[in-house]
Amino acid sequence: MRQQSQAQAELHGAETGKPARTTLAVIPAALVSASGFLLFARQDRLSGFLLLAAALVLAGFISRRLLIDLALIGVGLTAMSLVPITTDISTEHMAVMGTAMILAVGMPYAVSRFITKDHAIRFPIRTGQPWTRAEKWYLPAVLVIGYALMPVYMIRTGVYNNWPAVNDVDGIARLFLGTNALGIWDELFFICTAFTLLRRHLPDWQANLLQAVLFTSFLWELGFHAWAPFFIFPFALLQARLFTVTKSLSYIVSVHLLFDFVLFLVLIHAHNREWINIFLY
């Protein structure tokens, strides 16, 4: 019976164009997620790359498709780990980090689109489906949650000092561009790429937990320290869930950018207390 069930699963995978799932896939997938934690949160490149290599070797013994998909995630992790992940908004750093961000998303997409031709990675901007009333109401709720949470977190912990103090038009524009670009990239890589590839081999809840570890680890290295993981990790889980339900990149980016808009205003106020003095903390 077990062999028959496995055969049916493999046949189903062949018919739908999706790889057949195996319970063993969670092991190399978890190792990839752990490697991201080491590379970003711990900034331990040697251990991180060794763990990533071990994950890919193990994936190769399980299935070729799993190896390819985890390797695509590994390409993105590697691209980002080779550049300084900081909040520096100088032209030089923004160019270097921006290039890595483009490669981290662009290379997995190009392989999926033009080499393996399975079109696994997609960025659905226009889905043709209108947002529901609940989804529309969640957007202003995000602003309220951000207003209540971000100033307390950023200012009371002093974490705002991990971002540059800006008080000129050019600096403010760069800060605005940087926060928004990073917010969009988070959704493109962690949700549309990592989560999408992981859920081809794992149940959604497992794929979601593993991408949330990567999401949180990256933002930790970026400067979200102190108790940030306690709200970033649930946020990452919710974003993946919203993407699963809405199938809309536009929606999850809108949610993220609303949070980032509040973050931007809080950073301006934190470094210039007489400016935008509208927050409670």
Side-chain angles (χ1 to χ4, degrees):
M1 290 294 292
R2 183 177 300 177
Q3 292 178 345
Q4 183 179 0
S5 298
Q6 183 175 356
Q8 289 175 344
E10 293 175 352
L11 178 60
H12 177 71
E15 290 174 347
T16 61
K18 296 181 180 179
R21 290 180 176 178
T22 170
T23 54
L24 292 177
V26 71
I27 300 174
L31 292 179
V32 169
S33 185
S35 74
F37 173 78
L38 291 174
L39 290 170
F40 299 134
R42 302 293 298 174
Q43 298 185 35
D44 184 347
R45 289 184 179 177
L46 177 60
S47 298
F49 285 136
L50 287 175
L51 197 60
L52 179 58
L56 297 181
V57 170
L58 181 56
F61 284 107
I62 297 174
S63 79
R64 178 176 176 271
R65 183 69 264 173
L66 177 64
L67 170 61
I68 293 173
D69 287 345
L70 294 186
L72 293 181
I73 298 174
V75 165
L77 297 179
T78 300
M80 295 309 301
S81 68
L82 295 179
V83 302
I85 300 176
T86 70
T87 55
D88 181 1
I89 56 174
S90 66
T91 300
E92 295 77 9
H93 181 261
M94 292 180 75
V96 169
M97 191 167 168
T99 299
M101 290 163 60
I102 292 172
L103 292 175
V105 171
M107 288 191 294
Y109 174 77
V111 171
S112 173
R113 177 69 174 82
F114 301 109
I115 298 179
T116 62
K117 296 184 179 181
D118 59 6
H119 296 211
I121 302 171
R122 299 174 185 271
F123 307 116
I125 297 175
R126 299 180 63 183
T127 64
Q129 298 296 323
W131 296 345
T132 66
R133 179 176 298 180
E135 290 162 0
K136 291 177 181 178
W137 274 107
Y138 181 58
L139 297 178
V142 166
L143 287 174
V144 174
I145 294 169
Y147 175 83
L149 175 65
M150 294 308 294
V152 175
Y153 162 66
M154 298 295 292
I155 297 176
R156 287 192 179 182
T157 63
V159 168
Y160 71 90
N161 288 305
N162 292 336
W163 279 257
V166 294
N167 50 28
D168 61 288
V169 174
D170 181 66
I172 292 172
R174 288 171 177 270
L175 180 63
F176 182 78
L177 174 63
T179 53
N180 281 273
L182 275 169
I184 295 172
W185 182 85
D186 287 340
E187 304 303 329
L188 292 176
F189 181 71
F190 297 113
I191 306 301
C192 291
T193 302
F195 175 63
T196 295
L197 293 175
L198 288 170
R199 69 191 295 233
R200 302 180 79 202
H201 307 273
L202 306 173
D204 282 1
W205 69 270
Q206 292 181 356
N208 202 353
L209 287 173
L210 295 182
Q211 73 79 21
V213 170
L214 295 174
F215 198 121
T216 306
S217 299
F218 176 81
L219 290 186
W220 177 274
E221 182 173 358
L222 185 64
F224 287 89
H225 297 166
W227 45 272
F230 291 101
F231 67 84
I232 291 177
F233 191 82
F235 177 74
L237 293 175
L238 182 57
Q239 287 294 90
R241 180 57 187 164
L242 288 173
F243 184 67
T244 301
V245 172
T246 66
K247 299 178 176 59
S248 172
L249 172 62
S250 305
Y251 185 76
I252 60 172
V253 165
S254 297
V255 171
H256 199 133
L257 293 188
L258 286 172
F259 267 118
D260 282 350
F261 179 65
V262 178
L263 169 66
F264 166 74
L265 296 180
V266 170
L267 288 173
I268 297 297
H269 170 70
H271 287 290
N272 308 275
R273 296 301 173 91
E274 70 279 7
W275 294 7
I276 319 178
N277 191 15
I278 60 174
F279 298 105
L280 302 175
Y281 50 89

